[in-house]
PDB file of all heavy atoms in Angstrom:
ATOM      1  N   HIS C 244     -17.852  18.771   0.361  1.00 98.00           N
ATOM      2  CA  HIS C 244     -18.886  18.145  -0.485  1.00 98.00           C
ATOM      3  C   HIS C 244     -18.272  17.592  -1.776  1.00 98.00           C
ATOM      4  O   HIS C 244     -18.611  16.479  -2.203  1.00 98.00           O
ATOM      5  CB  HIS C 244     -19.996  19.143  -0.797  1.00 98.00           C
ATOM      6  CG  HIS C 244     -21.083  18.575  -1.648  1.00 98.00           C
ATOM      7  ND1 HIS C 244     -21.980  17.634  -1.191  1.00 98.00           N
ATOM      8  CD2 HIS C 244     -21.393  18.796  -2.944  1.00 98.00           C
ATOM      9  CE1 HIS C 244     -22.794  17.300  -2.170  1.00 98.00           C
ATOM     10  NE2 HIS C 244     -22.476  17.993  -3.252  1.00 98.00           N
ATOM     11  N   ALA C 245     -17.363  18.348  -2.380  1.00 98.00           N
ATOM     12  CA  ALA C 245     -16.710  17.892  -3.614  1.00 98.00           C
ATOM     13  C   ALA C 245     -15.945  16.599  -3.365  1.00 98.00           C
ATOM     14  O   ALA C 245     -16.009  15.664  -4.169  1.00 98.00           O
ATOM     15  CB  ALA C 245     -15.774  18.976  -4.156  1.00 98.00           C
ATOM     16  N   TYR C 246     -15.233  16.526  -2.249  1.00 97.00           N
ATOM     17  CA  TYR C 246     -14.488  15.300  -1.952  1.00 97.00           C
ATOM     18  C   TYR C 246     -15.398  14.161  -1.515  1.00 97.00           C
ATOM     19  O   TYR C 246     -15.072  12.989  -1.720  1.00 97.00           O
ATOM     20  CB  TYR C 246     -13.363  15.547  -0.948  1.00 97.00           C
ATOM     21  CG  TYR C 246     -12.058  15.722  -1.693  1.00 97.00           C
ATOM     22  CD1 TYR C 246     -11.476  16.962  -1.833  1.00 97.00           C
ATOM     23  CD2 TYR C 246     -11.441  14.636  -2.306  1.00 97.00           C
ATOM     24  CE1 TYR C 246     -10.309  17.130  -2.554  1.00 97.00           C
ATOM     25  CE2 TYR C 246     -10.279  14.789  -3.025  1.00 97.00           C
ATOM     26  CZ  TYR C 246      -9.715  16.031  -3.146  1.00 97.00           C
ATOM     27  OH  TYR C 246      -8.561  16.180  -3.873  1.00 97.00           O
ATOM     28  N   ASP C 247     -16.547  14.460  -0.961  1.00 98.00           N
ATOM     29  CA  ASP C 247     -17.514  13.411  -0.666  1.00 98.00           C
ATOM     30  C   ASP C 247     -17.965  12.760  -1.974  1.00 98.00           C
ATOM     31  O   ASP C 247     -18.027  11.535  -2.090  1.00 98.00           O
ATOM     32  CB  ASP C 247     -18.697  13.998   0.098  1.00 98.00           C
ATOM     33  CG  ASP C 247     -19.651  12.937   0.599  1.00 98.00           C
ATOM     34  OD1 ASP C 247     -19.187  11.884   1.079  1.00 98.00           O
ATOM     35  OD2 ASP C 247     -20.870  13.170   0.516  1.00 98.00           O
ATOM     36  N   GLN C 248     -18.240  13.582  -2.981  1.00 98.00           N
ATOM     37  CA  GLN C 248     -18.623  13.064  -4.295  1.00 98.00           C
ATOM     38  C   GLN C 248     -17.446  12.366  -4.979  1.00 98.00           C
ATOM     39  O   GLN C 248     -17.615  11.307  -5.589  1.00 98.00           O
ATOM     40  CB  GLN C 248     -19.136  14.192  -5.181  1.00 98.00           C
ATOM     41  CG  GLN C 248     -20.449  14.771  -4.711  1.00 98.00           C
ATOM     42  CD  GLN C 248     -20.904  15.904  -5.609  1.00 98.00           C
ATOM     43  OE1 GLN C 248     -20.132  16.816  -5.904  1.00 98.00           O
ATOM     44  NE2 GLN C 248     -22.148  15.826  -6.056  1.00 98.00           N
ATOM     45  N   ALA C 249     -16.259  12.955  -4.898  1.00 98.00           N
ATOM     46  CA  ALA C 249     -15.069  12.364  -5.520  1.00 98.00           C
ATOM     47  C   ALA C 249     -14.738  11.025  -4.864  1.00 98.00           C
ATOM     48  O   ALA C 249     -14.238  10.104  -5.531  1.00 98.00           O
ATOM     49  CB  ALA C 249     -13.885  13.321  -5.411  1.00 98.00           C
ATOM     50  N   GLY C 250     -15.033  10.895  -3.585  1.00 97.00           N
ATOM     51  CA  GLY C 250     -14.805   9.632  -2.891  1.00 97.00           C
ATOM     52  C   GLY C 250     -15.613   8.495  -3.486  1.00 97.00           C
ATOM     53  O   GLY C 250     -15.149   7.354  -3.551  1.00 97.00           O
ATOM     54  N   ALA C 251     -16.812   8.794  -3.942  1.00 97.00           N
ATOM     55  CA  ALA C 251     -17.633   7.770  -4.594  1.00 97.00           C
ATOM     56  C   ALA C 251     -16.946   7.247  -5.850  1.00 97.00           C
ATOM     57  O   ALA C 251     -17.023   6.057  -6.173  1.00 97.00           O
ATOM     58  CB  ALA C 251     -19.014   8.325  -4.917  1.00 97.00           C
ATOM     59  N   VAL C 252     -16.244   8.122  -6.561  1.00 98.00           N
ATOM     60  CA  VAL C 252     -15.492   7.712  -7.751  1.00 98.00           C
ATOM     61  C   VAL C 252     -14.283   6.876  -7.337  1.00 98.00           C
ATOM     62  O   VAL C 252     -13.999   5.839  -7.945  1.00 98.00           O
ATOM     63  CB  VAL C 252     -15.055   8.935  -8.591  1.00 98.00           C
ATOM     64  CG1 VAL C 252     -14.241   8.499  -9.798  1.00 98.00           C
ATOM     65  CG2 VAL C 252     -16.256   9.761  -9.015  1.00 98.00           C
ATOM     66  N   LEU C 253     -13.579   7.301  -6.294  1.00 98.00           N
ATOM     67  CA  LEU C 253     -12.424   6.529  -5.816  1.00 98.00           C
ATOM     68  C   LEU C 253     -12.825   5.109  -5.434  1.00 98.00           C
ATOM     69  O   LEU C 253     -12.081   4.161  -5.680  1.00 98.00           O
ATOM     70  CB  LEU C 253     -11.776   7.226  -4.617  1.00 98.00           C
ATOM     71  CG  LEU C 253     -11.012   8.509  -4.890  1.00 98.00           C
ATOM     72  CD1 LEU C 253     -10.581   9.153  -3.573  1.00 98.00           C
ATOM     73  CD2 LEU C 253      -9.807   8.248  -5.784  1.00 98.00           C
ATOM     74  N   LYS C 254     -14.001   4.952  -4.833  1.00 98.00           N
ATOM     75  CA  LYS C 254     -14.478   3.626  -4.423  1.00 98.00           C
ATOM     76  C   LYS C 254     -14.627   2.675  -5.609  1.00 98.00           C
ATOM     77  O   LYS C 254     -14.565   1.458  -5.447  1.00 98.00           O
ATOM     78  CB  LYS C 254     -15.811   3.732  -3.697  1.00 98.00           C
ATOM     79  CG  LYS C 254     -15.699   4.306  -2.311  1.00 98.00           C
ATOM     80  CD  LYS C 254     -17.085   4.423  -1.681  1.00 98.00           C
ATOM     81  CE  LYS C 254     -17.025   5.112  -0.354  1.00 98.00           C
ATOM     82  NZ  LYS C 254     -18.366   5.289   0.233  1.00 98.00           N
ATOM     83  N   GLU C 255     -14.834   3.226  -6.797  1.00 98.00           N
ATOM     84  CA  GLU C 255     -14.985   2.390  -7.996  1.00 98.00           C
ATOM     85  C   GLU C 255     -13.648   1.871  -8.511  1.00 98.00           C
ATOM     86  O   GLU C 255     -13.621   0.947  -9.327  1.00 98.00           O
ATOM     87  CB  GLU C 255     -15.676   3.187  -9.107  1.00 98.00           C
ATOM     88  CG  GLU C 255     -17.103   3.562  -8.796  1.00 98.00           C
ATOM     89  CD  GLU C 255     -17.729   4.347  -9.940  1.00 98.00           C
ATOM     90  OE1 GLU C 255     -17.588   3.921 -11.111  1.00 98.00           O
ATOM     91  OE2 GLU C 255     -18.345   5.391  -9.659  1.00 98.00           O
ATOM     92  N   SER C 256     -12.553   2.473  -8.086  1.00 97.00           N
ATOM     93  CA  SER C 256     -11.239   2.083  -8.596  1.00 97.00           C
ATOM     94  C   SER C 256     -10.691   0.881  -7.835  1.00 97.00           C
ATOM     95  O   SER C 256     -10.587   0.919  -6.605  1.00 97.00           O
ATOM     96  CB  SER C 256     -10.246   3.243  -8.456  1.00 97.00           C
ATOM     97  OG  SER C 256      -8.942   2.804  -8.782  1.00 97.00           O
ATOM     98  N   PRO C 257     -10.288  -0.159  -8.552  1.00 97.00           N
ATOM     99  CA  PRO C 257      -9.665  -1.301  -7.874  1.00 97.00           C
ATOM    100  C   PRO C 257      -8.296  -0.939  -7.293  1.00 97.00           C
ATOM    101  O   PRO C 257      -7.788  -1.652  -6.430  1.00 97.00           O
ATOM    102  CB  PRO C 257      -9.531  -2.353  -8.979  1.00 97.00           C
ATOM    103  CG  PRO C 257      -9.545  -1.591 -10.250  1.00 97.00           C
ATOM    104  CD  PRO C 257     -10.380  -0.369 -10.001  1.00 97.00           C
ATOM    105  N   TRP C 280      -3.385   3.837  -2.000  1.00 97.00           N
ATOM    106  CA  TRP C 280      -3.342   3.152  -3.297  1.00 97.00           C
ATOM    107  C   TRP C 280      -2.690   1.787  -3.133  1.00 97.00           C
ATOM    108  O   TRP C 280      -1.857   1.593  -2.244  1.00 97.00           O
ATOM    109  CB  TRP C 280      -2.545   3.984  -4.308  1.00 97.00           C
ATOM    110  CG  TRP C 280      -3.158   5.320  -4.565  1.00 97.00           C
ATOM    111  CD1 TRP C 280      -2.731   6.526  -4.089  1.00 97.00           C
ATOM    112  CD2 TRP C 280      -4.325   5.594  -5.347  1.00 97.00           C
ATOM    113  NE1 TRP C 280      -3.560   7.532  -4.519  1.00 97.00           N
ATOM    114  CE2 TRP C 280      -4.547   6.992  -5.295  1.00 97.00           C
ATOM    115  CE3 TRP C 280      -5.201   4.802  -6.080  1.00 97.00           C
ATOM    116  CZ2 TRP C 280      -5.612   7.602  -5.953  1.00 97.00           C
ATOM    117  CZ3 TRP C 280      -6.260   5.412  -6.733  1.00 97.00           C
ATOM    118  CH2 TRP C 280      -6.458   6.792  -6.672  1.00 97.00           C
ATOM    119  N   GLY C 289      -2.724   3.127 -13.370  1.00 96.00           N
ATOM    120  CA  GLY C 289      -4.023   2.463 -13.314  1.00 96.00           C
ATOM    121  C   GLY C 289      -5.133   3.500 -13.260  1.00 96.00           C
ATOM    122  O   GLY C 289      -5.796   3.791 -14.252  1.00 96.00           O
ATOM    123  N   PHE C 290      -5.290   4.105 -12.091  1.00 97.00           N
ATOM    124  CA  PHE C 290      -6.368   5.075 -11.885  1.00 97.00           C
ATOM    125  C   PHE C 290      -6.261   6.281 -12.807  1.00 97.00           C
ATOM    126  O   PHE C 290      -7.227   6.668 -13.451  1.00 97.00           O
ATOM    127  CB  PHE C 290      -6.381   5.534 -10.421  1.00 97.00           C
ATOM    128  CG  PHE C 290      -7.419   6.576 -10.136  1.00 97.00           C
ATOM    129  CD1 PHE C 290      -8.768   6.252 -10.131  1.00 97.00           C
ATOM    130  CD2 PHE C 290      -7.059   7.887  -9.875  1.00 97.00           C
ATOM    131  CE1 PHE C 290      -9.732   7.213  -9.876  1.00 97.00           C
ATOM    132  CE2 PHE C 290      -8.007   8.857  -9.615  1.00 97.00           C
ATOM    133  CZ  PHE C 290      -9.347   8.520  -9.614  1.00 97.00           C
ATOM    134  N   ARG C 291      -5.093   6.874 -12.887  1.00 97.00           N
ATOM    135  CA  ARG C 291      -4.957   8.109 -13.683  1.00 97.00           C
ATOM    136  C   ARG C 291      -5.162   7.889 -15.178  1.00 97.00           C
ATOM    137  O   ARG C 291      -5.446   8.839 -15.893  1.00 97.00           O
ATOM    138  CB  ARG C 291      -3.591   8.743 -13.440  1.00 97.00           C
ATOM    139  CG  ARG C 291      -3.548   9.479 -12.123  1.00 97.00           C
ATOM    140  CD  ARG C 291      -2.780  10.733 -12.260  1.00 97.00           C
ATOM    141  NE  ARG C 291      -2.752  11.485 -11.034  1.00 97.00           N
ATOM    142  CZ  ARG C 291      -1.831  12.361 -10.754  1.00 97.00           C
ATOM    143  NH1 ARG C 291      -0.847  12.586 -11.594  1.00 97.00           N
ATOM    144  NH2 ARG C 291      -1.879  13.019  -9.628  1.00 97.00           N
ATOM    145  N   ARG C 292      -5.012   6.682 -15.641  1.00 97.00           N
ATOM    146  CA  ARG C 292      -5.225   6.396 -17.071  1.00 97.00           C
ATOM    147  C   ARG C 292      -6.598   5.785 -17.331  1.00 97.00           C
ATOM    148  O   ARG C 292      -6.901   5.418 -18.462  1.00 97.00           O
ATOM    149  CB  ARG C 292      -4.121   5.479 -17.588  1.00 97.00           C
ATOM    150  CG  ARG C 292      -2.772   6.173 -17.593  1.00 97.00           C
ATOM    151  CD  ARG C 292      -1.714   5.319 -18.181  1.00 97.00           C
ATOM    152  NE  ARG C 292      -0.434   6.029 -18.145  1.00 97.00           N
ATOM    153  CZ  ARG C 292       0.618   5.678 -18.828  1.00 97.00           C
ATOM    154  NH1 ARG C 292       0.575   4.612 -19.604  1.00 97.00           N
ATOM    155  NH2 ARG C 292       1.725   6.368 -18.736  1.00 97.00           N
ATOM    156  N   SER C 293      -7.401   5.690 -16.297  1.00 97.00           N
ATOM    157  CA  SER C 293      -8.737   5.110 -16.448  1.00 97.00           C
ATOM    158  C   SER C 293      -9.768   6.213 -16.661  1.00 97.00           C
ATOM    159  O   SER C 293      -9.514   7.389 -16.356  1.00 97.00           O
ATOM    160  CB  SER C 293      -9.103   4.302 -15.202  1.00 97.00           C
ATOM    161  OG  SER C 293      -9.478   5.162 -14.134  1.00 97.00           O
ATOM    162  N   PRO C 294     -10.943   5.868 -17.150  1.00 97.00           N
ATOM    163  CA  PRO C 294     -12.020   6.854 -17.294  1.00 97.00           C
ATOM    164  C   PRO C 294     -12.460   7.449 -15.953  1.00 97.00           C
ATOM    165  O   PRO C 294     -13.020   8.546 -15.914  1.00 97.00           O
ATOM    166  CB  PRO C 294     -13.161   6.058 -17.928  1.00 97.00           C
ATOM    167  CG  PRO C 294     -12.541   4.832 -18.492  1.00 97.00           C
ATOM    168  CD  PRO C 294     -11.299   4.562 -17.695  1.00 97.00           C
ATOM    169  N   LEU C 295     -12.197   6.756 -14.855  1.00 97.00           N
ATOM    170  CA  LEU C 295     -12.567   7.263 -13.539  1.00 97.00           C
ATOM    171  C   LEU C 295     -11.842   8.566 -13.210  1.00 97.00           C
ATOM    172  O   LEU C 295     -12.392   9.436 -12.537  1.00 97.00           O
ATOM    173  CB  LEU C 295     -12.241   6.228 -12.457  1.00 97.00           C
ATOM    174  CG  LEU C 295     -13.057   4.941 -12.484  1.00 97.00           C
ATOM    175  CD1 LEU C 295     -12.489   3.935 -11.499  1.00 97.00           C
ATOM    176  CD2 LEU C 295     -14.517   5.233 -12.200  1.00 97.00           C
ATOM    177  N   PHE C 296     -10.600   8.698 -13.659  1.00 98.00           N
ATOM    178  CA  PHE C 296      -9.820   9.884 -13.313  1.00 98.00           C
ATOM    179  C   PHE C 296     -10.494  11.172 -13.810  1.00 98.00           C
ATOM    180  O   PHE C 296     -10.538  12.163 -13.093  1.00 98.00           O
ATOM    181  CB  PHE C 296      -8.394   9.805 -13.847  1.00 98.00           C
ATOM    182  CG  PHE C 296      -7.590  11.021 -13.485  1.00 98.00           C
ATOM    183  CD1 PHE C 296      -7.183  11.241 -12.180  1.00 98.00           C
ATOM    184  CD2 PHE C 296      -7.267  11.968 -14.447  1.00 98.00           C
ATOM    185  CE1 PHE C 296      -6.461  12.380 -11.825  1.00 98.00           C
ATOM    186  CE2 PHE C 296      -6.541  13.100 -14.110  1.00 98.00           C
ATOM    187  CZ  PHE C 296      -6.142  13.306 -12.809  1.00 98.00           C
ATOM    188  N   GLY C 297     -11.036  11.151 -15.008  1.00 97.00           N
ATOM    189  CA  GLY C 297     -11.713  12.334 -15.546  1.00 97.00           C
ATOM    190  C   GLY C 297     -12.881  12.747 -14.680  1.00 97.00           C
ATOM    191  O   GLY C 297     -13.075  13.941 -14.407  1.00 97.00           O
ATOM    192  N   ARG C 298     -13.659  11.784 -14.216  1.00 98.00           N
ATOM    193  CA  ARG C 298     -14.797  12.083 -13.345  1.00 98.00           C
ATOM    194  C   ARG C 298     -14.325  12.633 -11.999  1.00 98.00           C
ATOM    195  O   ARG C 298     -14.870  13.601 -11.480  1.00 98.00           O
ATOM    196  CB  ARG C 298     -15.641  10.827 -13.136  1.00 98.00           C
ATOM    197  CG  ARG C 298     -16.363  10.392 -14.393  1.00 98.00           C
ATOM    198  CD  ARG C 298     -17.105   9.070 -14.264  1.00 98.00           C
ATOM    199  NE  ARG C 298     -17.745   8.866 -12.982  1.00 98.00           N
ATOM    200  CZ  ARG C 298     -17.890   7.672 -12.407  1.00 98.00           C
ATOM    201  NH1 ARG C 298     -17.440   6.579 -12.994  1.00 98.00           N
ATOM    202  NH2 ARG C 298     -18.500   7.560 -11.248  1.00 98.00           N
ATOM    203  N   PHE C 299     -13.282  12.005 -11.451  1.00 98.00           N
ATOM    204  CA  PHE C 299     -12.714  12.442 -10.183  1.00 98.00           C
ATOM    205  C   PHE C 299     -12.166  13.863 -10.303  1.00 98.00           C
ATOM    206  O   PHE C 299     -12.485  14.739  -9.494  1.00 98.00           O
ATOM    207  CB  PHE C 299     -11.608  11.463  -9.759  1.00 98.00           C
ATOM    208  CG  PHE C 299     -10.815  11.905  -8.574  1.00 98.00           C
ATOM    209  CD1 PHE C 299     -11.276  11.671  -7.292  1.00 98.00           C
ATOM    210  CD2 PHE C 299      -9.592  12.554  -8.728  1.00 98.00           C
ATOM    211  CE1 PHE C 299     -10.542  12.083  -6.185  1.00 98.00           C
ATOM    212  CE2 PHE C 299      -8.850  12.962  -7.639  1.00 98.00           C
ATOM    213  CZ  PHE C 299      -9.332  12.722  -6.358  1.00 98.00           C
ATOM    214  N   PHE C 300     -11.357  14.094 -11.320  1.00 98.00           N
ATOM    215  CA  PHE C 300     -10.694  15.384 -11.472  1.00 98.00           C
ATOM    216  C   PHE C 300     -11.688  16.514 -11.698  1.00 98.00           C
ATOM    217  O   PHE C 300     -11.496  17.628 -11.202  1.00 98.00           O
ATOM    218  CB  PHE C 300      -9.651  15.338 -12.581  1.00 98.00           C
ATOM    219  CG  PHE C 300      -8.755  16.539 -12.581  1.00 98.00           C
ATOM    220  CD1 PHE C 300      -7.822  16.723 -11.576  1.00 98.00           C
ATOM    221  CD2 PHE C 300      -8.859  17.498 -13.572  1.00 98.00           C
ATOM    222  CE1 PHE C 300      -7.008  17.845 -11.549  1.00 98.00           C
ATOM    223  CE2 PHE C 300      -8.041  18.619 -13.565  1.00 98.00           C
ATOM    224  CZ  PHE C 300      -7.114  18.789 -12.553  1.00 98.00           C
ATOM    225  N   ALA C 301     -12.759  16.249 -12.413  1.00 98.00           N
ATOM    226  CA  ALA C 301     -13.777  17.279 -12.640  1.00 98.00           C
ATOM    227  C   ALA C 301     -14.358  17.783 -11.317  1.00 98.00           C
ATOM    228  O   ALA C 301     -14.679  18.968 -11.183  1.00 98.00           O
ATOM    229  CB  ALA C 301     -14.885  16.731 -13.533  1.00 98.00           C
ATOM    230  N   LEU C 302     -14.455  16.908 -10.332  1.00 98.00           N
ATOM    231  CA  LEU C 302     -15.014  17.290  -9.036  1.00 98.00           C
ATOM    232  C   LEU C 302     -14.031  18.086  -8.176  1.00 98.00           C
ATOM    233  O   LEU C 302     -14.432  18.978  -7.430  1.00 98.00           O
ATOM    234  CB  LEU C 302     -15.459  16.036  -8.275  1.00 98.00           C
ATOM    235  CG  LEU C 302     -16.646  15.297  -8.899  1.00 98.00           C
ATOM    236  CD1 LEU C 302     -16.755  13.891  -8.338  1.00 98.00           C
ATOM    237  CD2 LEU C 302     -17.925  16.085  -8.667  1.00 98.00           C
ATOM    238  N   VAL C 303     -12.741  17.767  -8.270  1.00 98.00           N
ATOM    239  CA  VAL C 303     -11.753  18.404  -7.386  1.00 98.00           C
ATOM    240  C   VAL C 303     -10.947  19.510  -8.065  1.00 98.00           C
ATOM    241  O   VAL C 303     -10.212  20.241  -7.392  1.00 98.00           O
ATOM    242  CB  VAL C 303     -10.803  17.355  -6.759  1.00 98.00           C
ATOM    243  CG1 VAL C 303     -11.598  16.322  -5.976  1.00 98.00           C
ATOM    244  CG2 VAL C 303      -9.925  16.694  -7.798  1.00 98.00           C
ATOM    245  N   LYS C 304     -11.106  19.667  -9.369  1.00 98.00           N
ATOM    246  CA  LYS C 304     -10.319  20.657 -10.121  1.00 98.00           C
ATOM    247  C   LYS C 304     -10.399  22.073  -9.545  1.00 98.00           C
ATOM    248  O   LYS C 304      -9.387  22.768  -9.511  1.00 98.00           O
ATOM    249  CB  LYS C 304     -10.755  20.650 -11.585  1.00 98.00           C
ATOM    250  CG  LYS C 304      -9.932  21.561 -12.456  1.00 98.00           C
ATOM    251  CD  LYS C 304     -10.368  21.489 -13.904  1.00 98.00           C
ATOM    252  CE  LYS C 304      -9.519  22.421 -14.751  1.00 98.00           C
ATOM    253  NZ  LYS C 304      -9.938  22.395 -16.149  1.00 98.00           N
ATOM    254  N   PRO C 305     -11.549  22.522  -9.056  1.00 98.00           N
ATOM    255  CA  PRO C 305     -11.595  23.886  -8.507  1.00 98.00           C
ATOM    256  C   PRO C 305     -10.643  24.119  -7.327  1.00 98.00           C
ATOM    257  O   PRO C 305     -10.367  25.260  -6.974  1.00 98.00           O
ATOM    258  CB  PRO C 305     -13.055  24.037  -8.056  1.00 98.00           C
ATOM    259  CG  PRO C 305     -13.818  23.046  -8.857  1.00 98.00           C
ATOM    260  CD  PRO C 305     -12.872  21.899  -9.072  1.00 98.00           C
ATOM    261  N   TYR C 306     -10.124  23.043  -6.739  1.00 98.00           N
ATOM    262  CA  TYR C 306      -9.287  23.170  -5.546  1.00 98.00           C
ATOM    263  C   TYR C 306      -7.813  22.853  -5.796  1.00 98.00           C
ATOM    264  O   TYR C 306      -7.011  22.928  -4.870  1.00 98.00           O
ATOM    265  CB  TYR C 306      -9.854  22.278  -4.433  1.00 98.00           C
ATOM    266  CG  TYR C 306     -11.307  22.609  -4.202  1.00 98.00           C
ATOM    267  CD1 TYR C 306     -12.316  21.804  -4.717  1.00 98.00           C
ATOM    268  CD2 TYR C 306     -11.674  23.779  -3.537  1.00 98.00           C
ATOM    269  CE1 TYR C 306     -13.647  22.144  -4.553  1.00 98.00           C
ATOM    270  CE2 TYR C 306     -13.008  24.128  -3.371  1.00 98.00           C
ATOM    271  CZ  TYR C 306     -13.985  23.305  -3.877  1.00 98.00           C
ATOM    272  OH  TYR C 306     -15.301  23.657  -3.731  1.00 98.00           O
ATOM    273  N   VAL C 307      -7.448  22.569  -7.019  1.00 98.00           N
ATOM    274  CA  VAL C 307      -6.063  22.229  -7.342  1.00 98.00           C
ATOM    275  C   VAL C 307      -5.112  23.372  -6.983  1.00 98.00           C
ATOM    276  O   VAL C 307      -4.022  23.143  -6.462  1.00 98.00           O
ATOM    277  CB  VAL C 307      -5.928  21.812  -8.828  1.00 98.00           C
ATOM    278  CG1 VAL C 307      -4.480  21.722  -9.254  1.00 98.00           C
ATOM    279  CG2 VAL C 307      -6.634  20.489  -9.060  1.00 98.00           C
TER     280      VAL C 307
END
Side-chain angles (χ1 to χ4, degrees):
H244 180 70
Y246 262 106
D247 188 41
Q248 292 179 310
V252 178
L253 289 173
K254 287 178 185 177
E255 294 180 47
S256 172
W280 298 104
F290 177 71
R291 282 219 178 157
R292 293 184 181 195
S293 77
L295 293 171
F296 180 71
R298 291 174 38 213
F299 172 84
F300 192 70
L302 293 163
V303 302
K304 184 178 180 181
Y306 306 102
V307 169

